[in-house]
Amino acid sequence: MSAPAPTYVPAASDVEAAARYGADAARRAADAVRDRLGVRAPACAIVLGSGLGALADDVADARRVPYAEVPGFPETTVVGHAGSLVAGTLAGREVLLLAGRFHLYEGHPAALAAFPARVVHALGAPVLLLSNAAGGVRRTFAPGDLMVISDHLNLTGRNPLVGPQQPGDQRFPDLTAAYDPGLRRQLREAAAATGQAVQEGVYAGLLGPTYETPAEVRMLERLGADAVGMSTVPEAIVARAVGMRVAGVSCITNPAAGIAHEALDHAEVLEVGRQAAGRFRALVTAFVGKLE
């Protein structure tokens, strides 16, 4: 018999959100789904961004729990985000997949946007691989390029660690190497092993939900951003605060506003993600196979 779906009620403030989506809540959520997922010793957890959810089809012996049945998780509302927690094996390694995420632009607090990172950490994952669909700020990018994230710019105006310090968190985590250099090297090696080239660069995380104006893209270019999107940063911050190693991959779905003159829309983002899915799946599978 499946557990009754918990009722999701939005938090009223950052302080309330920190308590509601903190370490204790993550442990309760992990306890609620551990037996259903049959989690033993996952090598890593992977967040699947817009249009990149097909990787879940490659997981052997897959067990799924809908987000609506994970305590503290709301249902996903964005097209291209399936909304399920998946456990199984990939490249012979135990993995956890987060098929969909919660975005700040949906009205969620930053602590909730990052809550899945806490939950997979409580389930034993030492590594978090984040993926996303992003606009290309670097002018040499082409739709379908894969970019290993080397660093990020948090331009959301939000931080998921605001509020009371959570048990086990670093109060002031060092983000000098937020995206682990060793994991970045392994992603490059995985790309070479699968016969594909990957880019590397800085991801700018904005609040959304609007796409950027051409003036904002020029600003991002001057700030040193190579790609821009509306996710990833909250999860990376919390994962580092709890001691996880973090890696990230952006699928460049379109040139950012003003670089090309075509109108931008989410359907295009999803379509380019689907077109790049085969290379993304090959890259991630090879990467997981290289993990200790």
Side-chain angles (χ1 to χ4, degrees), residues 59-238:
V59 174
D61 188 28
R63 289 90 64 193
R64 292 176 169 81
V65 176
Y67 279 179
E69 296 177 15
V70 180
F73 279 29
E75 295 187 49
T76 54
T77 64
V78 180
V79 175
H81 291 261
S84 59
L85 181 55
V86 183
T89 58
L90 185 69
R93 305 293 176 88
E94 286 275 336
V95 294
L96 290 164
L97 268 62
L98 290 152
R101 53 165 44 104
F102 315 123
H103 300 84
L104 299 176
Y105 63 72
E106 296 175 85
H108 298 311
L112 172 56
F115 186 55
R118 290 193 182 278
V119 174
V120 295
H121 176 254
L123 286 167
V127 170
L128 182 63
L129 174 62
L130 300 164
S131 70
N132 59 57
V137 176
R138 190 190 301 173
R139 293 175 182 269
T140 56
F141 279 164
D145 280 353
L146 298 177
M147 184 190 86
V148 175
I149 300 175
S150 60
D151 205 346
H152 72 231
L153 294 168
N154 182 7
L155 302 177
T156 66
R158 314 284 178 82
N159 191 301
L161 301 181
V162 168
Q165 183 177 0
Q166 295 301 304
D169 281 15
Q170 296 181 53
R171 175 77 281 190
F172 304 107
D174 178 11
L175 299 184
T176 302
Y179 299 86
D180 188 275
L183 296 180
R184 286 157 47 196
R185 183 185 67 252
Q186 288 176 238
L187 281 167
R188 294 192 298 270
E189 292 172 352
T194 57
Q196 57 180 304
V198 291
Q199 309 292 334
E200 190 160 2
V202 175
Y203 175 85
L206 274 64
L207 179 61
T210 55
Y211 290 113
E212 301 71 41
T213 68
E216 288 168 340
V217 171
R218 293 195 298 273
M219 174 193 72
L220 293 172
E221 197 171 23
R222 287 166 172 77
L223 289 175
D226 297 290
V228 60
M230 307 171 193
S231 66
T232 301
V233 170
E235 297 123 307
I237 290 172
V238 161

Side-chain angles (χ1 to χ4, degrees), residues 254-265:
N254 54 271
I259 294 176
H261 299 290
E262 292 80 10
L264 306 178
D265 65 72

